[in-house]
Amino acid sequence: MFKEALRELVEKTEGGQASLLMDSSGIALESFSREGVQVDIDTVGVEFSFVIGAIKRASEMLEAGEAREMVVCTAKMLTIIRMVNDSYFLALTMSPEGNF
């Protein structure tokens, strides 16, 4: 159901590699990876779901409001995580020189 939207997100993003829709417990609803991409987007989502929980708690403790978007930039990839609602998030990985 979401596969086409995730594919379009990756293919229309300069440097896009993979995308994922996941619930906050780490269960993927759908994912898409460009052919030949070495990124395991499901593992990225599971690992970052723990980070998302920590960021949500920190923003609540700081009374900073709801965390909506997170960006993690490493030497090999850039990952953008956007909360869809309290239970689901969307993740997009791209090459570090990509353009979102």
Side-chain angles (χ1 to χ4, degrees), residues 23-38:
D23 75 7
S24 57
S25 65
I27 299 171
L29 275 70
E30 191 66 78
S31 63
F32 173 82
S33 294
R34 232 184 242 274
E35 193 172 315
V37 168
Q38 299 299 316

Side-chain angles (χ1 to χ4, degrees), residues 8-72:
E8 192 172 315
L9 176 65
V10 170
E11 291 181 351
K12 290 188 175 185
T13 301
E14 184 181 326
Q17 296 177 338
S19 59
L20 165 81
L21 179 63
M22 181 171 272
D23 75 7
S24 57
S25 65
I27 299 171
L29 275 70
E30 191 66 78
S31 63
F32 173 82
S33 294
R34 232 184 242 274
E35 193 172 315
V37 168
Q38 299 299 316
V39 174
D40 181 353
I41 190 65
D42 292 324
T43 301
V44 169
V46 169
E47 295 300 328
F48 282 133
S49 67
F50 296 111
V51 174
I52 291 168
I55 290 171
K56 282 179 160 183
R57 287 187 298 281
S59 66
E60 288 171 8
M61 290 178 68
L62 296 169
E63 297 179 4
E66 181 181 3
R68 296 183 185 152
E69 188 172 86
M70 293 137 250
V71 178
V72 178

